[in-house]
Amino acid sequence: MKRDALERNQVWLYLAAVVAGLGAGSVAPGLAPSMELLLWPSLALLLYATFTQVPLAHLPAAFRDMRFMSAVLVGNFLVLPVLVWGLTAFVPEDPAVQLGVLLVLLVPCTDWFITFAHQAGGDVRRAIVATPVVLVIQIVLLPLYLWLFMGDGLAVRLSAGRMAAAFLSIIVVPLVLAGLTERWAEQSGVRGERLIQRLGALPVPLLGFVVLLIAGSQVEAVLGSLDLFRGVLAPFVVFLAGAAVCGVVLGRAFSLPPDQARTLLFSFSTRNSFVVLPLALALPPGWEAAGLVIVFQSLIELFGMLLFLWLVPRVLMPFRGT
């Protein structure tokens, strides 16, 4: 299946992966240790393939259009964190659940939002240029947000050393390797371009495989968390609605044309779920709910994007005369 077809049908692929993983974990529970063993290298490969699609070498280009970048940064790192803080009042008081919600809602997407923006008639060039800036800033600010929302005791309760090891091995190393790959590709002409294109086809199937491994290795936790999922469904839906409103308001406040405003809205409404997923999976025993919450949010988000792909160009941000 080609990349475009994979991206159009990714929500169904992920749902099938969840069902397959739950089925495999239920029928053959002895597979759980093997699935857990495969999970970490699969995550590292997933993030490496994803990061190669982020133009890390072109960070300075992002600041040539300060109006669009200002809207992206203000919305993602000032306005939406306030919305997330308000939503935590409606999240179950379980610290693992709250951490999972914070992890996933505080980090803007740097990959599939480009696809959704393109499908909705957004400005893909600006989306691509903005992604490395958004990625770097979210990595820097996430610890600050968690400290503000959860307090000083968080690092002690979560084993900061274990989290740091996961961050370095699953996020930093793939990020550095992706940057080196991009530099080599730019110097290698057509051969390098082909490699980047081939790597670009990997994130969707790899994420499906990761979701299958999580569902299969955590089948008891998943089946035991149905009440938990009901408890976070409303906050996730409200976040999508709030992100859409934020996109419309800031698009008008910064006088962005419709294609740029559409890109802005999809930047606000999509989150970097599988970038923070390794951090959640590295948590000590008793915090498994954080990872499950992140996977659940990504599924809710994908259904929301199916709605937004119809709603944004037709109702929220139509071109003049349409």
Side-chain angles (χ1 to χ4, degrees):
M1 187 179 292
K2 293 184 178 180
R3 177 177 178 176
D4 289 345
L6 284 170
E7 291 175 343
R8 284 195 306 268
N9 296 285
Q10 57 188 310
V11 61
W12 311 114
L13 187 151
Y14 301 145
L15 285 174
V18 170
V19 172
L22 291 176
S26 299
V27 173
L31 290 175
S34 298
M35 288 183 169
E36 291 182 358
L37 189 63
L38 285 171
L39 180 59
W40 292 102
S42 299
L43 275 168
L45 181 58
L46 166 64
L47 292 179
Y48 166 72
T50 300
F51 290 151
T52 61
Q53 307 307 300
V54 177
L56 299 170
H58 298 159
L59 276 169
F63 296 99
R64 293 173 187 166
D65 185 349
M66 284 306 301
R67 187 170 60 176
F68 176 75
M69 275 305 306
S70 297
V72 168
L73 298 180
V74 168
N76 275 312
F77 299 111
L78 291 177
V79 178
L80 288 180
V82 174
L83 172 62
V84 173
W85 176 77
L87 289 176
T88 57
F90 304 96
V91 173
E93 294 184 0
D94 185 334
V97 176
Q98 294 198 342
L99 178 61
V101 170
L102 291 174
L103 281 172
V104 73
L105 293 187
L106 288 171
V107 288
C109 185
T110 55
D111 42 77
W112 65 32
F113 102 89
I114 299 174
T115 299
F116 294 129
H118 171 67
Q119 293 175 352
D123 188 326
V124 176
R125 184 180 68 84
R126 281 180 170 80
I128 293 173
V129 170
T131 51
V133 178
V134 170
L135 178 63
V136 171
I137 291 178
Q138 69 183 246
I139 290 174
V140 172
L141 289 183
L142 181 59
L144 173 63
Y145 288 142
L146 293 180
W147 173 74
L148 287 173
F149 292 166
M150 298 196 74
D152 292 328
L154 179 65
V156 175
R157 288 185 288 164
L158 298 189
S159 178
R162 187 174 180 179
M163 293 277 285
F167 179 77
L168 288 172
S169 60
I170 306 299
I171 297 178
V172 174
V173 172
L175 184 62
V176 171
L177 291 177
L180 294 175
T181 301
E182 287 182 31
R183 176 170 293 185
W184 173 84
E186 288 188 350
Q187 298 171 351
S188 302
V190 175
R191 186 173 56 170
E193 291 179 5
R194 288 176 180 172
L195 175 62
I196 297 298
Q197 290 175 357
R198 289 171 182 168
L199 289 170
L202 293 180
V204 172
L206 280 173
L207 182 55
F209 184 59
V210 165
V211 169
L212 184 150
L213 293 176
I214 293 172
S217 61
Q218 304 289 332
V219 60
E220 292 185 6
V222 172
L223 295 178
S225 301
L226 297 181
D227 289 338
L228 161 65
F229 295 151
R230 286 192 288 268
V232 295
L233 175 60
F236 287 154
V237 171
V238 171
F239 176 84
L240 283 172
V245 171
C246 182
V248 172
V249 171
L250 287 184
R252 293 175 179 173
F254 283 86
S255 301
L256 299 179
D259 58 341
Q260 295 182 31
R262 293 176 184 183
T263 302
L264 186 71
L265 186 148
F266 281 99
S267 174
F268 293 165
S269 58
T270 54
R271 304 286 91 186
N272 239 354
S273 53
F274 54 84
V275 170
V276 293
L277 183 58
L279 301 180
L281 296 176
L283 294 171
W287 292 77
E288 292 83 1
L292 299 178
V293 164
I294 291 172
V295 173
F296 182 64
Q297 186 278 336
S298 66
L299 295 175
I300 298 301
E301 178 180 296
L302 285 167
F303 280 110
M305 292 308 101
L306 294 179
L307 174 62
F308 282 7
L309 286 176
W310 180 90
L311 191 65
V312 171
R314 292 171 176 82
V315 178
L316 297 180
M317 297 172 177
F319 286 111
R320 292 179 181 177
T322 61

